[in-house]
Amino acid sequence: MERFILLILVFVGSFLAAVNCTPPSETWTCETTTNYPQAVCEVPSCTFAIKSHIRNEYDAAFTYMYMASYFAQDTIDRPGLAKFLFEAASEERGHAIQMLDYLNLRGIKLDGLDYNFNSSWIPADLTYQTALEKAINMEITVTDLIYNVVTSCGIDYHAADVFTNPILDEQHDGVRKLQGAYRTYLDMKTGQGASGMAFAEYVFDRKLLSGEI
Ligand SMILES: [Fe+2]
């Protein structure tokens, strides 16, 4: 009988602990309030890492959008690359929204989000090859930065899991596809020799537009 009562006390105790959101360790913060909705536990370093990283997603989105607009101009006219870059911009914007949604899911206040786009890196004479290289470098950098977020969220299993899959999975998939496309681009260009490079680029772009690459 005593054992039974003890079990009930342990059960009720653990239930109350969950409801009151007792921090699993001193690294966690937890607002103890009777107001509703109540704040759920969070790891401040993880929250900071996520909020900071959203800026990188916005930067990538704006950079892709800028490059897409550049190649969509009638003076450049590379609709394949423009379409690819506009889609990549939507994807990055989608990642930022996904992360904002995640903070909202966890009941984390969306304050301190102040993002400005920095376009100083974009050269005036952007070439097809430079744009592809920029895209690859940007994706690899963002992938590395997401690993930092996962590290910062290490003890917050839920956040670490969300940022590992699907987010990291998509990043690696994106990097792989871009690297492959870049390889194809170089092969087509060098295969045509100096005089046929512009034509090779045109053909590559049509393949990108049709979804063949
Ligand atoms: Fe992204």
Side-chain angles (χ1 to χ4, degrees), residues 19 81 120 195:
V19 170
L81 187 56
S120 57
S195 59

Side-chain angles (χ1 to χ4, degrees), residues 53 57 60 91-93 95-96 99 139 142 146 167 171:
H53 184 72
E57 300 291 342
E91 202 176 298
E92 298 308 329
R93 181 175 157 274
H95 290 162
M99 290 167 195
E139 289 298 334
V142 170
I146 291 173
I167 295 178
Q171 283 300 131

Side-chain angles (χ1 to χ4, degrees), residues 27-28 42-51 53 102-103 106 108 145-164:
T27 332
W28 292 66
E42 60 173 288
V43 179
S45 57
C46 174
T47 301
F48 179 77
I50 296 171
K51 283 184 177 177
H53 184 72
Y102 179 75
L103 292 174
R106 290 291 296 264
I108 295 165
L145 290 169
I146 291 173
Y147 273 101
N148 291 346
V149 175
V150 175
T151 303
S152 300
C153 294
I155 60 165
D156 184 331
Y157 309 127
H158 188 243
D161 183 48
V162 167
F163 276 78
T164 302

Side-chain angles (χ1 to χ4, degrees), residues 61-74 76-91 126-128 131-132 135 201-202 204-210:
F62 277 110
T63 303
Y64 275 131
M65 221 146 60
Y66 182 97
M67 292 198 295
S69 308
Y70 178 86
F71 286 101
Q73 297 174 102
D74 57 1
I76 311 293
D77 200 35
R78 288 289 182 258
L81 187 56
K83 178 172 172 274
F84 171 83
L85 293 169
F86 272 127
E87 284 172 0
S90 298
E91 202 176 298
L126 187 63
T127 65
Y128 206 101
L132 286 175
E201 186 178 290
Y202 168 78
F204 177 89
D205 195 70
R206 302 311 290 185
K207 287 180 179 292
L208 199 57
L209 186 62
S210 68

